[in-house]
mmCIF file of all heavy atoms in Angstrom:
data_model
loop_
_atom_site.group_PDB
_atom_site.id
_atom_site.type_symbol
_atom_site.label_atom_id
_atom_site.label_comp_id
_atom_site.label_asym_id
_atom_site.label_seq_id
_atom_site.Cartn_x
_atom_site.Cartn_y
_atom_site.Cartn_z
ATOM 1 N N MET A 30 141.752 118.326 122.898
ATOM 2 C CA MET A 30 141.811 117.402 124.011
ATOM 3 C C MET A 30 142.223 118.149 125.270
ATOM 4 O O MET A 30 143.146 118.954 125.257
ATOM 5 C CB MET A 30 142.818 116.299 123.681
ATOM 6 C CG MET A 30 142.870 115.227 124.710
ATOM 7 S SD MET A 30 143.831 113.853 124.065
ATOM 8 C CE MET A 30 144.754 113.455 125.491
ATOM 9 N N THR A 31 141.548 117.875 126.355
ATOM 10 C CA THR A 31 141.828 118.522 127.626
ATOM 11 C C THR A 31 142.865 117.723 128.402
ATOM 12 O O THR A 31 142.762 116.512 128.517
ATOM 13 C CB THR A 31 140.545 118.632 128.466
ATOM 14 O OG1 THR A 31 139.559 119.317 127.705
ATOM 15 C CG2 THR A 31 140.809 119.357 129.761
ATOM 16 N N THR A 32 143.860 118.419 128.909
ATOM 17 C CA THR A 32 144.873 117.773 129.726
ATOM 18 C C THR A 32 144.480 117.901 131.185
ATOM 19 O O THR A 32 144.157 118.982 131.661
ATOM 20 C CB THR A 32 146.247 118.448 129.514
ATOM 21 O OG1 THR A 32 146.553 118.404 128.128
ATOM 22 C CG2 THR A 32 147.319 117.735 130.304
ATOM 23 N N MET A 33 144.494 116.780 131.884
ATOM 24 C CA MET A 33 144.163 116.790 133.299
ATOM 25 C C MET A 33 145.450 116.835 134.113
ATOM 26 O O MET A 33 146.395 116.132 133.809
ATOM 27 C CB MET A 33 143.345 115.559 133.680
ATOM 28 C CG MET A 33 142.056 115.513 132.917
ATOM 29 S SD MET A 33 140.628 114.829 133.736
ATOM 30 C CE MET A 33 140.764 115.120 135.404
ATOM 31 N N ILE A 34 145.450 117.677 135.108
ATOM 32 C CA ILE A 34 146.604 117.795 135.984
ATOM 33 C C ILE A 34 146.407 116.851 137.162
ATOM 34 O O ILE A 34 145.368 116.862 137.816
ATOM 35 C CB ILE A 34 146.757 119.244 136.492
ATOM 36 C CG1 ILE A 34 146.998 120.178 135.302
ATOM 37 C CG2 ILE A 34 147.882 119.339 137.508
ATOM 38 C CD1 ILE A 34 146.954 121.637 135.666
ATOM 39 N N THR A 35 147.403 116.016 137.389
ATOM 40 C CA THR A 35 147.355 115.106 138.526
ATOM 41 C C THR A 35 148.070 115.757 139.688
ATOM 42 O O THR A 35 149.187 116.231 139.556
ATOM 43 C CB THR A 35 148.040 113.769 138.180
ATOM 44 O OG1 THR A 35 147.395 113.212 137.041
ATOM 45 C CG2 THR A 35 147.950 112.804 139.333
ATOM 46 N N ARG A 36 147.393 115.780 140.817
ATOM 47 C CA ARG A 36 147.979 116.368 142.015
ATOM 48 C C ARG A 36 148.064 115.303 143.091
ATOM 49 O O ARG A 36 147.224 114.422 143.178
ATOM 50 C CB ARG A 36 147.145 117.533 142.514
ATOM 51 C CG ARG A 36 147.114 118.660 141.525
ATOM 52 C CD ARG A 36 146.296 119.800 142.037
ATOM 53 N NE ARG A 36 146.193 120.801 141.001
ATOM 54 C CZ ARG A 36 145.213 121.635 140.882
ATOM 55 N NH1 ARG A 36 144.237 121.625 141.740
ATOM 56 N NH2 ARG A 36 145.186 122.516 139.911
ATOM 57 N N ARG A 37 149.029 115.459 143.923
ATOM 58 C CA ARG A 37 149.222 114.511 145.008
ATOM 59 C C ARG A 37 149.118 115.262 146.332
ATOM 60 O O ARG A 37 149.773 116.277 146.533
ATOM 61 C CB ARG A 37 150.596 113.870 144.866
ATOM 62 C CG ARG A 37 150.844 112.782 145.818
ATOM 63 C CD ARG A 37 152.114 112.094 145.459
ATOM 64 N NE ARG A 37 152.537 111.266 146.558
ATOM 65 C CZ ARG A 37 153.628 110.595 146.587
ATOM 66 N NH1 ARG A 37 154.451 110.655 145.555
ATOM 67 N NH2 ARG A 37 153.945 109.859 147.615
ATOM 68 N N ILE A 38 148.288 114.760 147.195
ATOM 69 C CA ILE A 38 148.117 115.368 148.507
ATOM 70 C C ILE A 38 148.860 114.494 149.518
ATOM 71 O O ILE A 38 148.632 113.286 149.595
ATOM 72 C CB ILE A 38 146.632 115.469 148.894
ATOM 73 C CG1 ILE A 38 145.884 116.305 147.859
ATOM 74 C CG2 ILE A 38 146.471 116.053 150.287
ATOM 75 C CD1 ILE A 38 144.391 116.320 148.045
ATOM 76 N N GLN A 39 149.721 115.110 150.282
ATOM 77 C CA GLN A 39 150.498 114.358 151.262
ATOM 78 C C GLN A 39 150.087 114.740 152.670
ATOM 79 O O GLN A 39 149.592 115.838 152.919
ATOM 80 C CB GLN A 39 151.987 114.633 151.067
ATOM 81 C CG GLN A 39 152.491 114.180 149.709
ATOM 82 C CD GLN A 39 153.963 114.478 149.510
ATOM 83 O OE1 GLN A 39 154.596 115.130 150.308
ATOM 84 N NE2 GLN A 39 154.504 113.983 148.418
ATOM 85 N N ASN A 40 150.291 113.828 153.571
ATOM 86 C CA ASN A 40 150.041 114.054 154.996
ATOM 87 C C ASN A 40 148.599 114.453 155.302
ATOM 88 O O ASN A 40 148.359 115.368 156.081
ATOM 89 C CB ASN A 40 151.002 115.100 155.557
ATOM 90 C CG ASN A 40 152.443 114.690 155.382
ATOM 91 O OD1 ASN A 40 152.777 113.519 155.521
ATOM 92 N ND2 ASN A 40 153.298 115.630 155.062
ATOM 93 N N VAL A 41 147.652 113.780 154.682
ATOM 94 C CA VAL A 41 146.242 114.057 154.933
ATOM 95 C C VAL A 41 145.849 113.461 156.279
ATOM 96 O O VAL A 41 146.183 112.326 156.591
ATOM 97 C CB VAL A 41 145.350 113.460 153.825
ATOM 98 C CG1 VAL A 41 143.886 113.622 154.161
ATOM 99 C CG2 VAL A 41 145.669 114.096 152.498
ATOM 100 N N GLN A 42 145.145 114.251 157.062
ATOM 101 C CA GLN A 42 144.637 113.772 158.343
ATOM 102 C C GLN A 42 143.153 114.083 158.413
ATOM 103 O O GLN A 42 142.750 115.244 158.326
ATOM 104 C CB GLN A 42 145.376 114.452 159.496
ATOM 105 C CG GLN A 42 146.835 114.113 159.556
ATOM 106 C CD GLN A 42 147.526 114.791 160.726
ATOM 107 O OE1 GLN A 42 146.900 115.501 161.503
ATOM 108 N NE2 GLN A 42 148.812 114.566 160.835
ATOM 109 N N ILE A 43 142.349 113.044 158.551
ATOM 110 C CA ILE A 43 140.905 113.207 158.656
ATOM 111 C C ILE A 43 140.453 112.415 159.872
ATOM 112 O O ILE A 43 140.787 111.248 160.022
ATOM 113 C CB ILE A 43 140.183 112.697 157.387
ATOM 114 C CG1 ILE A 43 140.638 113.493 156.177
ATOM 115 C CG2 ILE A 43 138.681 112.764 157.564
ATOM 116 C CD1 ILE A 43 140.097 112.997 154.867
ATOM 117 N N SER A 44 139.693 113.065 160.720
ATOM 118 C CA SER A 44 139.189 112.365 161.903
ATOM 119 C C SER A 44 137.671 112.287 161.839
ATOM 120 O O SER A 44 137.026 113.024 161.097
ATOM 121 C CB SER A 44 139.617 113.101 163.175
ATOM 122 O OG SER A 44 139.015 114.372 163.208
ATOM 123 N N THR A 45 137.125 111.388 162.611
ATOM 124 C CA THR A 45 135.679 111.212 162.682
ATOM 125 C C THR A 45 135.269 111.132 164.142
ATOM 126 O O THR A 45 135.895 110.439 164.929
ATOM 127 C CB THR A 45 135.250 109.915 161.965
ATOM 128 O OG1 THR A 45 135.709 109.957 160.627
ATOM 129 C CG2 THR A 45 133.761 109.754 161.970
ATOM 130 N N ASP A 46 134.213 111.848 164.467
ATOM 131 C CA ASP A 46 133.680 111.823 165.815
ATOM 132 C C ASP A 46 132.414 110.983 165.784
ATOM 133 O O ASP A 46 131.397 111.408 165.230
ATOM 134 C CB ASP A 46 133.376 113.247 166.285
ATOM 135 C CG ASP A 46 133.130 113.330 167.769
ATOM 136 O OD1 ASP A 46 133.130 112.280 168.437
ATOM 137 O OD2 ASP A 46 132.947 114.456 168.265
ATOM 138 N N SER A 47 132.467 109.778 166.320
ATOM 139 C CA SER A 47 131.320 108.870 166.221
ATOM 140 C C SER A 47 130.912 108.299 167.576
ATOM 141 O O SER A 47 130.456 107.167 167.673
ATOM 142 C CB SER A 47 131.638 107.735 165.253
ATOM 143 O OG SER A 47 132.781 107.020 165.712
ATOM 144 N N GLY A 48 131.048 109.085 168.608
ATOM 145 C CA GLY A 48 130.710 108.626 169.943
ATOM 146 C C GLY A 48 129.218 108.473 170.181
ATOM 147 O O GLY A 48 128.780 107.572 170.885
ATOM 148 N N THR A 49 128.416 109.357 169.576
ATOM 149 C CA THR A 49 126.966 109.294 169.761
ATOM 150 C C THR A 49 126.270 109.407 168.409
ATOM 151 O O THR A 49 126.885 109.782 167.409
ATOM 152 C CB THR A 49 126.458 110.457 170.641
ATOM 153 O OG1 THR A 49 126.670 111.686 169.938
ATOM 154 C CG2 THR A 49 127.173 110.493 171.981
ATOM 155 N N LYS A 50 124.979 109.118 168.397
ATOM 156 C CA LYS A 50 124.212 109.267 167.151
ATOM 157 C C LYS A 50 124.219 110.709 166.669
ATOM 158 O O LYS A 50 124.270 110.973 165.474
ATOM 159 C CB LYS A 50 122.773 108.795 167.353
ATOM 160 C CG LYS A 50 122.614 107.308 167.442
ATOM 161 C CD LYS A 50 121.149 106.916 167.398
ATOM 162 C CE LYS A 50 120.624 106.804 168.803
ATOM 163 N NZ LYS A 50 119.240 106.334 168.871
ATOM 164 N N GLU A 51 124.188 111.641 167.594
ATOM 165 C CA GLU A 51 124.182 113.057 167.228
ATOM 166 C C GLU A 51 125.497 113.452 166.554
ATOM 167 O O GLU A 51 125.509 114.233 165.605
ATOM 168 C CB GLU A 51 123.938 113.924 168.464
ATOM 169 C CG GLU A 51 122.526 113.828 169.028
ATOM 170 C CD GLU A 51 122.268 112.569 169.852
ATOM 171 O OE1 GLU A 51 123.255 111.881 170.249
ATOM 172 O OE2 GLU A 51 121.097 112.255 170.086
ATOM 173 N N GLN A 52 126.601 112.911 167.056
ATOM 174 C CA GLN A 52 127.905 113.209 166.454
ATOM 175 C C GLN A 52 128.003 112.613 165.056
ATOM 176 O O GLN A 52 128.514 113.253 164.139
ATOM 177 C CB GLN A 52 129.035 112.690 167.350
ATOM 178 C CG GLN A 52 129.175 113.479 168.635
ATOM 179 C CD GLN A 52 130.077 112.791 169.637
ATOM 180 O OE1 GLN A 52 130.129 111.575 169.719
ATOM 181 N NE2 GLN A 52 130.800 113.604 170.410
ATOM 182 N N VAL A 53 127.495 111.393 164.890
ATOM 183 C CA VAL A 53 127.491 110.761 163.560
ATOM 184 C C VAL A 53 126.616 111.573 162.611
ATOM 185 O O VAL A 53 126.991 111.813 161.458
ATOM 186 C CB VAL A 53 127.016 109.293 163.643
ATOM 187 C CG1 VAL A 53 126.827 108.703 162.251
ATOM 188 C CG2 VAL A 53 127.999 108.454 164.442
ATOM 189 N N ALA A 54 125.465 112.029 163.078
ATOM 190 C CA ALA A 54 124.573 112.845 162.248
ATOM 191 C C ALA A 54 125.266 114.139 161.826
ATOM 192 O O ALA A 54 125.137 114.572 160.676
ATOM 193 C CB ALA A 54 123.277 113.147 163.001
ATOM 194 N N SER A 55 126.022 114.738 162.720
ATOM 195 C CA SER A 55 126.765 115.959 162.375
ATOM 196 C C SER A 55 127.833 115.673 161.335
ATOM 197 O O SER A 55 128.044 116.465 160.408
ATOM 198 C CB SER A 55 127.410 116.561 163.624
ATOM 199 O OG SER A 55 126.422 117.034 164.496
ATOM 200 N N GLU A 56 128.514 114.536 161.465
ATOM 201 C CA GLU A 56 129.530 114.145 160.490
ATOM 202 C C GLU A 56 128.895 113.931 159.115
ATOM 203 O O GLU A 56 129.426 114.385 158.102
ATOM 204 C CB GLU A 56 130.242 112.864 160.936
ATOM 205 C CG GLU A 56 131.084 113.005 162.172
ATOM 206 C CD GLU A 56 132.472 113.546 161.877
ATOM 207 O OE1 GLU A 56 132.930 113.485 160.731
ATOM 208 O OE2 GLU A 56 133.107 114.035 162.834
ATOM 209 N N VAL A 57 127.757 113.256 159.084
ATOM 210 C CA VAL A 57 127.060 113.008 157.819
ATOM 211 C C VAL A 57 126.606 114.331 157.201
ATOM 212 O O VAL A 57 126.743 114.541 155.991
ATOM 213 C CB VAL A 57 125.864 112.045 158.018
ATOM 214 C CG1 VAL A 57 124.993 111.973 156.773
ATOM 215 C CG2 VAL A 57 126.368 110.662 158.389
ATOM 216 N N GLY A 58 126.086 115.223 158.018
ATOM 217 C CA GLY A 58 125.672 116.542 157.514
ATOM 218 C C GLY A 58 126.834 117.303 156.900
ATOM 219 O O GLY A 58 126.692 117.929 155.847
ATOM 220 N N ALA A 59 127.993 117.239 157.549
ATOM 221 C CA ALA A 59 129.180 117.915 157.013
ATOM 222 C C ALA A 59 129.607 117.294 155.680
ATOM 223 O O ALA A 59 129.979 118.017 154.746
ATOM 224 C CB ALA A 59 130.325 117.847 158.027
ATOM 225 N N LEU A 60 129.529 115.974 155.583
ATOM 226 C CA LEU A 60 129.864 115.304 154.318
ATOM 227 C C LEU A 60 128.897 115.689 153.204
ATOM 228 O O LEU A 60 129.311 115.935 152.069
ATOM 229 C CB LEU A 60 129.854 113.786 154.499
ATOM 230 C CG LEU A 60 131.070 113.183 155.158
ATOM 231 C CD1 LEU A 60 130.839 111.708 155.448
ATOM 232 C CD2 LEU A 60 132.288 113.362 154.278
ATOM 233 N N LYS A 61 127.609 115.729 153.536
ATOM 234 C CA LYS A 61 126.617 116.108 152.531
ATOM 235 C C LYS A 61 126.861 117.536 152.033
ATOM 236 O O LYS A 61 126.726 117.819 150.839
ATOM 237 C CB LYS A 61 125.204 115.964 153.100
ATOM 238 C CG LYS A 61 124.776 114.508 153.263
ATOM 239 C CD LYS A 61 123.500 114.355 154.054
ATOM 240 C CE LYS A 61 122.276 114.674 153.290
ATOM 241 N NZ LYS A 61 121.027 114.344 154.020
ATOM 242 N N PHE A 62 127.236 118.410 152.944
ATOM 243 C CA PHE A 62 127.519 119.788 152.545
ATOM 244 C C PHE A 62 128.766 119.850 151.668
ATOM 245 O O PHE A 62 128.798 120.579 150.669
ATOM 246 C CB PHE A 62 127.672 120.684 153.769
ATOM 247 C CG PHE A 62 127.768 122.142 153.426
ATOM 248 C CD1 PHE A 62 126.696 122.807 152.859
ATOM 249 C CD2 PHE A 62 128.940 122.841 153.641
ATOM 250 C CE1 PHE A 62 126.780 124.151 152.520
ATOM 251 C CE2 PHE A 62 129.038 124.182 153.313
ATOM 252 C CZ PHE A 62 127.956 124.835 152.752
ATOM 253 N N ALA A 63 129.780 119.063 151.995
ATOM 254 C CA ALA A 63 130.998 119.019 151.175
ATOM 255 C C ALA A 63 130.675 118.508 149.768
ATOM 256 O O ALA A 63 131.162 119.057 148.764
ATOM 257 C CB ALA A 63 132.058 118.142 151.840
ATOM 258 N N VAL A 64 129.846 117.476 149.681
ATOM 259 C CA VAL A 64 129.436 116.957 148.373
ATOM 260 C C VAL A 64 128.658 118.028 147.605
ATOM 261 O O VAL A 64 128.848 118.214 146.400
ATOM 262 C CB VAL A 64 128.597 115.665 148.528
ATOM 263 C CG1 VAL A 64 127.923 115.271 147.223
ATOM 264 C CG2 VAL A 64 129.472 114.533 149.045
ATOM 265 N N ALA A 65 127.803 118.758 148.289
ATOM 266 C CA ALA A 65 127.030 119.819 147.639
ATOM 267 C C ALA A 65 127.944 120.907 147.082
ATOM 268 O O ALA A 65 127.708 121.422 145.981
ATOM 269 C CB ALA A 65 126.025 120.421 148.617
ATOM 270 N N LEU A 66 128.991 121.242 147.816
ATOM 271 C CA LEU A 66 129.936 122.249 147.319
ATOM 272 C C LEU A 66 130.665 121.760 146.074
ATOM 273 O O LEU A 66 130.904 122.525 145.136
ATOM 274 C CB LEU A 66 130.928 122.635 148.414
ATOM 275 C CG LEU A 66 130.344 123.405 149.597
ATOM 276 C CD1 LEU A 66 131.416 123.632 150.661
ATOM 277 C CD2 LEU A 66 129.738 124.724 149.154
ATOM 278 N N MET A 67 131.010 120.479 146.037
ATOM 279 C CA MET A 67 131.640 119.914 144.832
ATOM 280 C C MET A 67 130.636 119.857 143.682
ATOM 281 O O MET A 67 130.968 120.138 142.539
ATOM 282 C CB MET A 67 132.204 118.528 145.123
ATOM 283 C CG MET A 67 133.419 118.554 146.014
ATOM 284 S SD MET A 67 134.187 116.944 146.227
ATOM 285 C CE MET A 67 133.092 116.207 147.420
ATOM 286 N N PHE A 68 129.393 119.494 144.018
ATOM 287 C CA PHE A 68 128.331 119.404 143.017
ATOM 288 C C PHE A 68 128.123 120.743 142.320
ATOM 289 O O PHE A 68 127.959 120.799 141.103
ATOM 290 C CB PHE A 68 127.038 118.940 143.702
ATOM 291 C CG PHE A 68 125.846 118.856 142.790
ATOM 292 C CD1 PHE A 68 125.654 117.767 141.973
ATOM 293 C CD2 PHE A 68 124.900 119.875 142.767
ATOM 294 C CE1 PHE A 68 124.543 117.679 141.148
ATOM 295 C CE2 PHE A 68 123.791 119.799 141.948
ATOM 296 C CZ PHE A 68 123.612 118.701 141.129
ATOM 297 N N CYS A 69 128.144 121.827 143.082
ATOM 298 C CA CYS A 69 127.865 123.133 142.469
ATOM 299 C C CYS A 69 128.992 123.584 141.539
ATOM 300 O O CYS A 69 128.783 124.465 140.707
ATOM 301 C CB CYS A 69 127.535 124.187 143.519
ATOM 302 S SG CYS A 69 128.856 124.694 144.588
ATOM 303 N N ARG A 70 130.162 122.964 141.619
ATOM 304 C CA ARG A 70 131.264 123.290 140.715
ATOM 305 C C ARG A 70 131.251 122.439 139.447
ATOM 306 O O ARG A 70 132.011 122.696 138.513
ATOM 307 C CB ARG A 70 132.595 123.113 141.430
ATOM 308 C CG ARG A 70 132.737 124.075 142.611
ATOM 309 C CD ARG A 70 134.085 124.018 143.206
ATOM 310 N NE ARG A 70 135.031 124.586 142.237
ATOM 311 C CZ ARG A 70 136.319 124.735 142.460
ATOM 312 N NH1 ARG A 70 136.826 124.385 143.609
ATOM 313 N NH2 ARG A 70 137.104 125.246 141.540
ATOM 314 N N MET A 71 130.374 121.446 139.414
ATOM 315 C CA MET A 71 130.282 120.567 138.246
ATOM 316 C C MET A 71 129.572 121.296 137.103
ATOM 317 O O MET A 71 128.729 122.148 137.345
ATOM 318 C CB MET A 71 129.478 119.300 138.587
ATOM 319 C CG MET A 71 130.128 118.390 139.592
ATOM 320 S SD MET A 71 129.023 117.065 140.172
ATOM 321 C CE MET A 71 128.723 116.167 138.662
ATOM 322 N N PRO A 72 129.904 120.918 135.851
ATOM 323 C CA PRO A 72 129.154 121.474 134.718
ATOM 324 C C PRO A 72 127.673 121.103 134.819
ATOM 325 O O PRO A 72 127.315 120.058 135.378
ATOM 326 C CB PRO A 72 129.802 120.810 133.497
ATOM 327 C CG PRO A 72 131.143 120.362 133.962
ATOM 328 C CD PRO A 72 130.996 120.046 135.414
ATOM 329 N N LYS A 73 126.831 121.959 134.274
ATOM 330 C CA LYS A 73 125.379 121.780 134.367
ATOM 331 C C LYS A 73 124.926 120.410 133.862
ATOM 332 O O LYS A 73 124.091 119.755 134.477
ATOM 333 C CB LYS A 73 124.682 122.893 133.582
ATOM 334 C CG LYS A 73 123.194 122.916 133.746
ATOM 335 C CD LYS A 73 122.576 124.104 133.044
ATOM 336 C CE LYS A 73 121.076 124.127 133.263
ATOM 337 N NZ LYS A 73 120.454 125.293 132.677
ATOM 338 N N GLU A 74 125.484 119.959 132.753
ATOM 339 C CA GLU A 74 125.108 118.649 132.189
ATOM 340 C C GLU A 74 125.450 117.518 133.151
ATOM 341 O O GLU A 74 124.660 116.594 133.329
ATOM 342 C CB GLU A 74 125.812 118.413 130.845
ATOM 343 C CG GLU A 74 125.161 119.098 129.683
ATOM 344 C CD GLU A 74 123.782 118.517 129.377
ATOM 345 O OE1 GLU A 74 123.660 117.302 129.131
ATOM 346 O OE2 GLU A 74 122.810 119.297 129.382
ATOM 347 N N ASP A 75 126.622 117.583 133.764
ATOM 348 C CA ASP A 75 127.030 116.549 134.719
ATOM 349 C C ASP A 75 126.126 116.551 135.941
ATOM 350 O O ASP A 75 125.788 115.498 136.475
ATOM 351 C CB ASP A 75 128.486 116.743 135.141
ATOM 352 C CG ASP A 75 129.464 116.474 134.010
ATOM 353 O OD1 ASP A 75 129.068 115.863 132.992
ATOM 354 O OD2 ASP A 75 130.633 116.879 134.137
ATOM 355 N N GLN A 76 125.733 117.739 136.384
ATOM 356 C CA GLN A 76 124.804 117.825 137.514
ATOM 357 C C GLN A 76 123.499 117.121 137.171
ATOM 358 O O GLN A 76 122.965 116.341 137.959
ATOM 359 C CB GLN A 76 124.522 119.286 137.860
ATOM 360 C CG GLN A 76 125.665 120.017 138.495
ATOM 361 C CD GLN A 76 125.320 121.468 138.766
ATOM 362 O OE1 GLN A 76 124.379 122.029 138.203
ATOM 363 N NE2 GLN A 76 126.092 122.095 139.626
ATOM 364 N N LYS A 77 123.001 117.408 135.983
ATOM 365 C CA LYS A 77 121.730 116.834 135.536
ATOM 366 C C LYS A 77 121.789 115.309 135.529
ATOM 367 O O LYS A 77 120.900 114.631 136.053
ATOM 368 C CB LYS A 77 121.417 117.362 134.131
ATOM 369 C CG LYS A 77 120.153 116.842 133.519
ATOM 370 C CD LYS A 77 119.941 117.489 132.168
ATOM 371 C CE LYS A 77 119.734 116.438 131.118
ATOM 372 N NZ LYS A 77 119.567 116.979 129.774
#
């Protein structure tokens, strides 16, 4: 059985720049890239 370590992150600050469509598009692109980086760390079966 695998033991999962629970971690707690404190004082997280995340901002969003949504003044224009271009800024929102940049934010979405950054999120997609972050998801892709997490995806590449997933086991092959989970990715599939």
Side-chain angles (χ1 to χ4, degrees):
M30 185 169 138
T31 304
T32 304
M33 299 214 30
I34 298 171
T35 303
R36 296 180 185 153
R37 187 171 166 184
I38 301 173
Q39 298 179 353
N40 301 322
V41 174
Q42 295 181 1
I43 299 174
S44 64
T45 303
D46 193 357
S47 59
T49 66
K50 286 190 267 184
E51 290 78 15
Q52 290 168 326
V53 172
S55 293
E56 293 276 341
V57 170
L60 281 172
K61 288 169 77 172
F62 188 66
V64 168
L66 292 176
M67 289 186 282
F68 178 81
C69 68
R70 297 187 69 178
M71 294 170 63
K73 187 175 182 176
E74 280 293 303
D75 292 345
Q76 289 178 342
K77 179 178 127 182

